[in-house]
Amino acid sequence: MGRNILLGVSGGIAAYKACELVRAFRKLGDDVRVIMTEGAQEFVRPLTMQVLSENPVGTATFDPTYESQIGHIDLARWADVVLVAPATANLIARMAQGMADDLLTTVLLATTAPVVVAPAMNTQMWNHPRVQANLEILAATPRHRVVEPDAGELACKEVGPGRLPDPHVLLQAVDQATTEPILAGKRVLITAGPTREFIDPARFISNPSTGKMGHSIAQAAQAMGAEVLLVRGPVDLERPFGVDVLEVTTARSMHKVVMARAEEMDFVVMVAAVADWRPADEKAEKVKKSEMSDTLKMERNPDILAELGQQFGPQSSSEGPIIVGFAAESRDIVERAREKMKRKGAHIMVANQIGGSRSTFGADSATIHIVSERTVTDYPADTKAKLGRALWREVVRLTQSTLAP
Ligand code: C5P
């Protein structure tokens, strides 16, 4: 996402998981610099981190070569956020005392960026009152946030709290630390993915939507402070951290859930590629090939967006959520999106390009335009993760300006 991430790694067995974190941040388009304590270097070679981060790795306090590339104070200023993962009991103690006895602790004192601390250690160490007291000091330090370790089987074979959480949990904690909480106290419902319309138990009609855009939007909303309900069709994606997820299969099941929950929301964003049609006569038993007809009679699915628009859109008098629709178009993108917005009664439409080399289906990036009655904001091709945040900034801005009552 173009952020400057400083990753501090200390010497626990979970240090190997820090490699995955570096890869995940790089994949998101972040610039990553790694500082390793002496202990960390016993578990993972600095060269590994250098290759993965594509940056030199800080290992010693006053290494003349490293200092000549980026001084420790410049590094502290460079960071948009510092993630310490894993944070050992020893590092936590040194941080709590404000020590500056190696490069990592020195930079941690010099930075004004948010600091996310992810402890990982043996369960008995985690439970020790001194460790807990140090963690309390850290949690009470401005800009610092401690991510609770997971419980489970540890490398030492003990079972209990102390595991470093999965990368997506730490990524989300970093997301939150680097995001303005513009959706704090808001409730949002997002639909994502395709729907499946069954011919018989073994056959269905669907579309190539992977749900990536909807998941990015849900994740961004959560990071920005919203309470998020994600209603998703069949997708092959992790559940976004901290988001309530309801799984549906058909357009009709999505329709039911969305209509039941929309009224309590502040925003409903229809990203799902809902199938417009379904087989008119779904068979309970698998149809034999020899008995299959060459034509399939179809009937229309409910248009969820249009129904939401009718109930809560700009033309309706009832209080309700701001309705945001998506319009996948291959040409005259903005004009068609605005026409669709009016026809369906949405407040805002997000137009995205499909077809040709810039198809959005399944891709990690997209080109979008956010359209309201009187405005159009164009976004150059960008990652869906970044566009998720951009979308919320624009939706909130429009809600407070042109869409304000
Ligand atoms: O008409 P079209 O399918 O292009 O409109 C796309 C928008 O309408 C998307 O926001 C999609 O989620 C929504 N939609 C819907 N119910 C349908 C079809 C589309 O809510 N049956």
Side-chain angles (χ1 to χ4, degrees):
M1 284 187 240
R3 301 168 299 187
N4 291 342
I5 311 257
L6 183 59
L7 177 64
V9 184
S10 58
I13 179 65
Y16 78 92
K17 293 188 183 170
C19 302
E20 276 303 314
L21 284 170
V22 177
R23 292 194 59 188
F25 284 125
R26 291 295 296 140
K27 214 172 147 202
L28 285 174
D30 294 318
D31 200 358
V32 184
R33 285 179 176 267
V34 181
I35 299 180
M36 304 179 78
T37 64
E38 237 176 81
Q41 295 166 54
E42 299 291 331
F43 291 92
V44 177
R45 301 275 297 167
L47 185 61
T48 308
M49 291 298 192
Q50 185 185 312
V51 172
L52 293 175
S53 68
E54 299 170 67
N55 268 320
V57 174
T59 50
T61 313
F62 298 115
D63 172 352
T65 321
Y66 189 71
E67 278 288 316
S68 70
Q69 284 161 340
I70 183 161
H72 61 282
I73 299 296
D74 292 332
L75 194 56
R77 288 190 190 131
W78 171 87
D80 292 324
V81 59
V82 185
L83 170 63
V84 186
T88 56
N90 181 47
L91 179 65
I92 289 165
R94 290 190 291 134
M95 287 175 76
Q97 293 310 308
M99 291 176 74
D101 57 351
D102 64 3
L103 180 61
L104 180 54
T105 48
T106 306
V107 171
L108 280 164
L109 286 187
T111 191
T112 54
V115 177
V116 177
V117 184
M121 65 195 73
N122 159 280
T123 300
Q124 303 309 332
M125 292 171 81
W126 169 256
N127 287 333
H128 195 288
R130 290 265 34 103
V131 172
Q132 288 301 319
N134 287 334
L135 284 165
E136 270 173 38
I137 294 175
L138 282 190
T141 307
R143 296 180 286 101
H144 284 56
R145 172 168 171 213
V146 177
V147 184
E148 289 277 311
D150 278 352
E153 189 182 343
L154 306 177
C156 55
K157 298 283 180 264
E158 269 180 34
V159 177
R163 278 165 59 96
L164 190 71
D166 285 343
H168 70 270
V169 174
L170 299 179
L171 256 61
Q172 182 65 3
V174 165
D175 249 18
Q176 266 170 351
T178 52
T179 312
E180 51 297 35
I182 55 172
L183 290 172
K186 301 289 183 203
R187 293 210 263 188
V188 311
L189 187 159
I190 295 147
T191 64
T195 63
R196 285 181 183 170
E197 311 302 325
F198 285 84
I199 300 166
D200 65 22
R203 304 179 180 95
F204 59 77
I205 296 170
S206 192
N207 62 65
S209 166
T210 57
K212 279 185 189 166
M213 192 73 210
H215 280 61
S216 298
I217 292 169
Q219 193 80 91
Q222 200 273 344
M224 289 170 154
E227 197 182 304
V228 184
L229 174 63
L230 175 65
V231 180
R232 66 180 196 181
V235 294
D236 192 17
L237 294 174
E238 291 243 22
R239 289 170 164 239
F241 174 72
V243 166
D244 278 338
V245 179
L246 273 174
E247 319 257 357
V248 296
T249 310
T250 63
R252 277 185 295 177
S253 53
M254 183 175 279
H255 172 254
K256 206 167 151 195
V257 171
V258 173
M259 295 320 290
R261 302 293 299 273
E263 198 173 355
E264 69 198 71
M265 300 291 161
D266 295 289
F267 299 94
V268 177
V269 188
M270 287 293 306
V271 197
V274 186
D276 293 308
W277 305 87
R278 65 173 178 271
D281 183 20
E282 183 188 337
K283 301 281 192 269
E285 304 286 333
K286 186 179 171 191
V287 181
K288 278 197 189 149
K289 215 182 285 183
S290 55
E291 289 165 14
M292 196 91 171
S293 136
D294 285 342
T295 55
L296 198 56
K297 192 164 182 299
M298 305 289 275
E299 63 189 16
R300 267 198 184 273
N301 269 327
D303 189 321
I304 310 172
L305 182 61
E307 240 178 86
L308 287 168
Q310 206 168 35
Q311 208 165 323
F312 305 111
Q315 304 305 327
S316 99
S317 52
S318 50
E319 287 265 309
I322 295 287
I323 309 293
V324 183
F326 264 67
E329 305 288 354
S330 50
R331 61 189 182 89
D332 304 331
I333 298 167
V334 171
E335 298 71 27
R336 289 187 177 195
R338 187 169 277 140
E339 183 276 320
K340 194 170 284 182
M341 178 179 81
K342 293 211 170 109
R343 179 158 45 83
K344 299 208 186 200
H347 294 95
I348 297 169
M349 213 70 188
V350 181
N352 61 354
Q353 187 146 3
I354 58 161
S357 59
R358 295 211 290 188
S359 176
T360 182
F361 278 130
D364 287 321
S365 60
T367 309
I368 64 167
H369 312 266
I370 300 185
V371 180
S372 74
E373 194 181 351
R374 276 171 283 156
T375 63
V376 182
T377 311
D378 304 317
Y379 296 82
D382 213 332
T383 61
K384 288 183 177 174
K386 223 166 155 183
L387 288 174
R389 289 162 173 237
L391 175 138
W392 283 115
R393 281 191 209 103
E394 179 67 358
V395 166
V396 169
R397 190 184 73 77
L398 288 171
T399 309
Q400 290 163 352
S401 56
T402 57
L403 292 175

